[in-house]
Amino acid sequence: MARDLDYLKLLSVQFPTATAAAAEIINLRAICGLPKGTEYFFSDLHGESEAFIYLMRSSSGVVRAKIDETFGNLLSEEEQLRLANLIYYPREILGNPHCREKENPEWQKITINRLVAICKVISSKYTRSKIRKKMPKDYAYAIDELLHYDDEDKKLYHQEILRSIIDIRMGEDFIIALSELIQNMTIDSLHIIGDVFDRGPHAELIMEELINFHDVDIQWGNHDADWMGAACGNPACIANVLRIATSYNSFDVLEDGYGINIRPLSMYAQEVYGDDPCLCFRTHLLDENISDSVNPDLAARMCKAISIIMLKEEGKLIRRHPEYHLDHRLLLDKIDFERGTVEIEGEEYELRDRNFPSIDPKDPYRLTEKEEELMETLIYSFTHSRLLKKHIHFFFTNGSMYKVVNNNILYHGCIPMEEDGEFMAFETERGALSGKALMDYFNEKAIEAYFMDGEIDPNGKLYATDFFWYMWCGPKSPLFGKEKITTFEHCFIEDPKTHKEPFNPYYSFSKEEKCADKIFAEFGVKPELGHIVNGHVPVKTGKGESPIRANGKLFVIDGGISKAYHSKTGIAGYTLIYNSRHLALAEHKDFKKGEENTPEIQIVEQMKSRIRVGETDNGKQLLQQVSDLEELLQAYRDGDIREKA
């Protein structure tokens, strides 16, 4: 095959000599022989920043296991736990004025030696070059020397490094540097299977943690799509984001986190619903999110005010899009305001709340003048929040509807299916799409909504931005995976049968191995190697549910990190851990600060042989680079390309 000399000449700029090309070939082939890095999979974080940051820093219990592996019976259980907490929170512990031992030189020396020992265990499968890149620049030389000290002749040299660190009063900084290096090395790549936002108090802190991580991707969840739509100015999404925030008392993320001005909403709610107890809109987690709590009576009024606006905005959006086939979810015009009833699917129900001062029975979806003014203010606030823009931009640069990586298919909700097990079709301007093509279409529309210039194509921009709302709760949305969303029924109707949101048939079929194989075939993954990693639906372990399905080919890892789910699930979610030897599930505990929170780790699949970098997707790219460099090397030797001095 003829060489592509133009490409090889470009490559020669980076590797100007045969020696340089040969050296890189040696380096890349050696890397491909190393064990693969450890991948971590999290799902449904829902704003629980403290729990998530703990799980990140502890590597979902792996750091604790490495401490036990390193020291065994040499350290007591209490000493191991104290060392683990120091690794997780070095700045907080050493910054505590009540921590007296930090000033003891002997304690610093012992602690540094212990941290170095753990570093050696964790770094054993990485190249020295990769480890050095992870080291803090100022201490890279000293850490590198301590990590690779294995010569008795250098014993005095090693001791002098330690003595110098402590003598010049840099012991605390060095302990922090080693602790953060351990955190950094334990997780090689991070996959977030959707729903960073809603319910919990500080999604913005989770986003900052993700942005600062070295290798992360996000598969969007329906709650994420709602926030993405809100950031793009979709009124229905904005109203729903605010409804959930006021319902769960999570005002922190709005005001302190993103600088969203909700005072206009509180003033409007007080003015219109000041005498209304709004009993149907009381907060779900009154005592959980208390950093910036709002008076519960006012919070309920705010929730009702924005819920009514949301129902109006959703009604307008549904009418704009007959192709959604959601006319049956237009319920405001089904209310009999005199009798206090509503008709849903042919049945009449009494309303729990009959006070609707802002709804015109003749035109129930029209916003009042004050509601229009309020929404203009809120839209401006959401679309002009700098931090929200930064975080949503990260969602687009590092996220997508799904990801296929190392034979694993990652997605948040489902691949919508019909009752007969075939992939469900969604009508688009291109015709009916299903399976992978449907996921790609949703991905494309989200990108259009964010990047399209509204001045050039206002109709296209509006259509794509409206689509975020369908991604959030549409019956054929892969992110939602339910027949309908019953927000209206939950708010206004007592009868629990109206609250049911039937799941897509996918959730029944996905328990079967043949369904997983069908999905593997759709996405081009070998069934004998593949796994599906799924979130969205909390695993109710208390009722005997298992996160492992389809004969070990599908993992549902949403066990509910969010406190809102704990009463239903009995646990606080899962981390799926995929290293070179096995797949493991870490079962989280209900996070309580200052207590023992180490997850329980269970190996669920042992690899037949240790997986090497060369077998991974990154490894395949490295081997392609090797092939290109071998061509360049031969071109140098044949004289087709001249070496540069």
Side-chain angles (χ1 to χ4, degrees):
M1 188 173 68
R3 290 177 184 149
D4 185 346
L5 288 179
D6 289 336
Y7 168 69
L8 294 179
K9 285 175 182 177
L10 286 173
L11 192 60
S12 72
V13 174
Q14 188 176 357
F15 303 98
T17 66
T19 303
E24 185 66 2
I25 291 169
I26 294 167
N27 178 44
L28 295 179
R29 289 180 64 175
I31 289 172
C32 287
L34 288 170
K36 76 174 281 295
T38 305
E39 300 173 72
Y40 278 67
F41 305 78
F42 290 95
S43 176
D44 296 81
L45 309 178
H46 284 301
E48 296 293 348
S49 56
E50 283 192 340
F52 176 67
I53 290 170
Y54 167 80
L55 291 169
M56 284 283 290
R57 295 182 181 184
S58 68
S59 303
S60 296
V62 169
V63 170
R64 184 74 174 78
K66 293 296 182 184
I67 292 172
D68 185 57
E69 177 186 329
T70 306
F71 297 107
N73 296 326
L74 296 175
L75 296 179
S76 68
E77 187 75 17
E78 182 183 349
E79 287 175 314
Q80 289 192 30
L81 184 58
R82 289 175 65 191
L83 181 58
N85 283 327
L86 178 64
I87 293 170
Y88 308 157
Y89 304 108
R91 295 179 185 274
E92 293 87 340
I93 289 174
L94 296 179
N96 188 336
H98 300 294
C99 179
R100 300 296 180 192
E101 61 186 3
K102 66 182 181 181
E103 299 168 3
N104 184 331
E106 187 61 23
W107 177 86
Q108 291 185 6
K109 178 182 175 182
I110 291 170
T111 301
I112 289 172
N113 275 319
R114 288 173 177 173
L115 294 174
V116 167
I118 297 165
C119 270
K120 285 183 178 180
V121 172
I122 292 174
S123 66
S124 60
K125 64 180 180 181
Y126 297 122
T127 64
R128 287 185 69 167
S129 171
K130 185 168 185 174
I131 298 167
R132 282 189 70 97
K133 288 175 183 176
K134 292 176 180 287
M135 292 177 186
K137 186 178 179 181
D138 293 338
Y139 296 114
Y141 172 80
I143 292 174
D144 188 55
E145 290 297 317
L146 292 175
L147 281 181
H148 298 93
Y149 157 72
D150 54 6
D151 188 342
E152 188 64 26
D153 292 338
K154 289 185 177 180
K155 186 175 182 179
L156 183 61
Y157 170 66
H158 172 264
Q159 291 174 344
E160 191 56 40
I161 291 175
L162 275 177
R163 187 181 297 114
S164 299
I165 290 167
I166 293 166
D167 285 349
I168 62 174
R169 299 180 182 178
M170 297 305 291
E172 290 182 38
D173 285 349
F174 202 74
I175 288 169
I176 291 171
L178 283 169
S179 298
E180 292 180 346
L181 177 61
I182 291 169
Q183 294 175 27
N184 194 298
M185 286 194 299
T186 314
I187 303 177
D188 198 58
S189 59
L190 181 63
H191 310 290
I192 306 298
I193 321 294
D195 279 358
V196 173
F197 287 96
D198 284 337
R199 295 193 175 96
H202 285 296
E204 83 284 0
L205 298 183
I206 293 176
M207 288 304 302
E208 285 298 301
E209 193 82 5
L210 296 179
I211 286 172
N212 291 324
F213 194 77
H214 57 270
D215 185 358
V216 62
D217 54 75
I218 302 172
Q219 290 70 60
W220 304 325
N222 59 320
H223 287 268
D224 302 325
D226 203 23
W227 275 81
M228 291 156 75
C232 290
N234 182 311
C237 291
I238 288 172
N240 191 54
V241 162
L242 290 167
R243 178 189 66 82
I244 294 173
T246 53
S247 179
Y248 284 88
N249 198 33
S250 53
F251 294 93
D252 307 38
V253 70
L254 295 170
E255 295 184 301
D256 297 341
Y258 290 118
I260 304 296
N261 182 12
I262 60 171
R263 180 169 170 75
L265 173 59
S266 68
M267 293 172 64
Y268 169 79
Q270 193 63 24
E271 177 185 345
V272 178
Y273 300 98
D275 297 326
D276 188 339
C278 300
L279 296 179
C280 303
F281 297 88
R282 311 298 284 186
T283 56
H284 296 323
L285 294 173
L286 189 58
D287 298 324
E288 298 289 358
N289 306 328
I290 57 175
S291 300
D292 187 23
S293 59
V294 172
N295 176 282
D297 294 328
L298 176 57
R301 293 182 186 115
M302 293 169 69
C303 186
K304 180 173 181 179
I306 201 64
S307 296
I308 296 297
I309 292 173
M310 181 200 75
L311 292 168
K312 291 182 178 184
E313 292 289 4
E314 288 184 345
K316 291 192 293 184
L317 190 149
I318 290 169
R319 285 176 165 179
R320 273 201 304 274
H321 296 283
E323 72 277 11
Y324 291 173
H325 302 293
L326 287 174
D327 285 356
H328 62 288
R329 297 307 298 161
L330 294 169
L331 299 178
L332 293 184
D333 58 344
K334 308 299 188 300
I335 295 175
D336 187 323
F337 291 91
E338 291 184 3
R339 296 174 56 230
T341 61
V342 64
E343 184 182 316
I344 301 177
E345 297 177 5
E347 286 195 48
E348 188 174 77
Y349 300 92
E350 286 191 16
L351 295 170
R352 293 197 295 164
D353 186 324
R354 302 181 181 187
N355 182 33
F356 300 108
S358 66
I359 298 180
D360 178 359
K362 296 179 181 179
D363 189 4
Y365 298 103
R366 181 179 60 82
L367 268 63
T368 66
E369 186 176 334
K370 289 182 179 179
E371 286 175 330
E372 291 276 11
E373 291 176 2
L374 173 61
M375 285 309 296
E376 286 179 11
T377 301
L378 292 172
I379 290 170
Y380 183 88
S381 199
F382 270 88
T383 55
H384 286 76
S385 167
R386 288 187 179 182
L387 188 61
L388 183 58
K389 279 185 178 180
K390 172 187 173 184
H391 290 173
I392 296 303
H393 187 75
F394 185 78
F395 259 92
F396 282 97
T397 55
N398 289 66
S400 56
M401 285 289 293
Y402 68 92
K403 185 179 180 72
V404 180
V405 55
N406 297 332
N407 298 306
N408 297 315
I409 307 174
L410 322 179
Y411 52 81
H412 175 73
C414 68
I415 310 297
M417 290 183 164
E418 301 284 2
E419 293 288 347
D420 61 0
E422 293 301 313
F423 293 129
M424 180 178 281
F426 179 74
E427 287 295 333
T428 73
E429 66 276 14
R430 300 176 201 158
L433 299 175
S434 63
K436 181 178 178 296
L438 177 62
M439 300 285 270
D440 290 335
Y441 179 80
F442 273 71
N443 199 83
E444 181 183 313
K445 287 301 165 190
I447 291 170
E448 285 180 6
Y450 186 72
F451 291 103
M452 184 182 288
D453 189 331
E455 293 185 6
I456 295 175
D457 186 1
N459 291 330
K461 180 79 169 180
L462 177 63
Y463 182 90
T465 305
D466 280 352
F467 207 69
F468 278 122
W469 178 83
Y470 192 90
M471 291 170 72
W472 150 251
C473 65
K476 295 186 179 182
S477 167
L479 303 184
F480 183 54
K482 296 180 184 179
E483 186 179 299
K484 60 183 175 181
I485 192 166
T486 57
T487 306
F488 180 94
E489 290 88 336
H490 274 84
C491 291
F492 295 108
I493 301 175
E494 193 75 44
D495 191 340
K497 76 177 183 183
T498 66
H499 301 174
K500 292 181 180 178
E501 299 176 347
F503 282 101
N504 183 272
Y506 164 88
Y507 291 99
S508 296
F509 288 117
S510 62
K511 297 174 184 177
E512 303 171 6
E513 186 174 358
K514 63 180 181 181
C515 175
D517 290 344
K518 180 182 179 70
I519 293 170
F520 291 142
E522 179 73 3
F523 285 83
V525 172
K526 294 179 180 178
E528 65 273 17
L529 299 175
H531 300 91
I532 297 167
V533 189
N534 212 166
H536 190 49
V537 180
V539 179
K540 299 173 183 176
T541 56
K543 294 186 177 181
E545 291 184 357
S546 170
I548 308 169
R549 298 174 187 178
N551 197 22
K553 292 185 176 181
L554 188 146
F555 296 92
V556 181
I557 60 171
D558 176 16
I561 290 180
S562 172
K563 294 182 179 72
Y565 292 130
H566 292 182
S567 61
K568 297 179 182 179
T569 60
I571 60 166
Y574 298 94
T575 307
L576 182 65
I577 304 168
Y578 180 28
N579 64 24
S580 60
R581 297 184 185 276
H582 59 244
L583 274 168
L585 277 170
E587 185 179 293
H588 311 152
K589 297 178 181 178
D590 188 355
F591 179 78
K592 293 181 174 66
K593 198 166 185 177
E595 297 186 15
E596 169 59 272
N597 295 293
T598 304
E600 295 181 14
I601 299 177
Q602 172 194 1
I603 295 174
V604 294
E605 183 179 330
Q606 200 81 38
M607 300 298 114
K608 292 179 181 178
S609 60
R610 197 168 193 187
I611 300 175
R612 304 291 168 177
V613 170
E615 300 170 72
T616 67
D617 292 349
N618 284 339
K620 291 170 186 174
Q621 292 178 10
L622 295 179
L623 291 172
Q624 181 58 53
Q625 292 176 37
V626 168
S627 177
D628 293 343
L629 286 164
E630 287 174 340
E631 279 201 56
L632 176 63
L633 182 60
Q634 194 59 47
Y636 281 137
R637 289 171 175 170
D638 293 345
D640 292 338
I641 297 177
R642 294 186 180 183
E643 297 182 73
K644 300 173 183 64

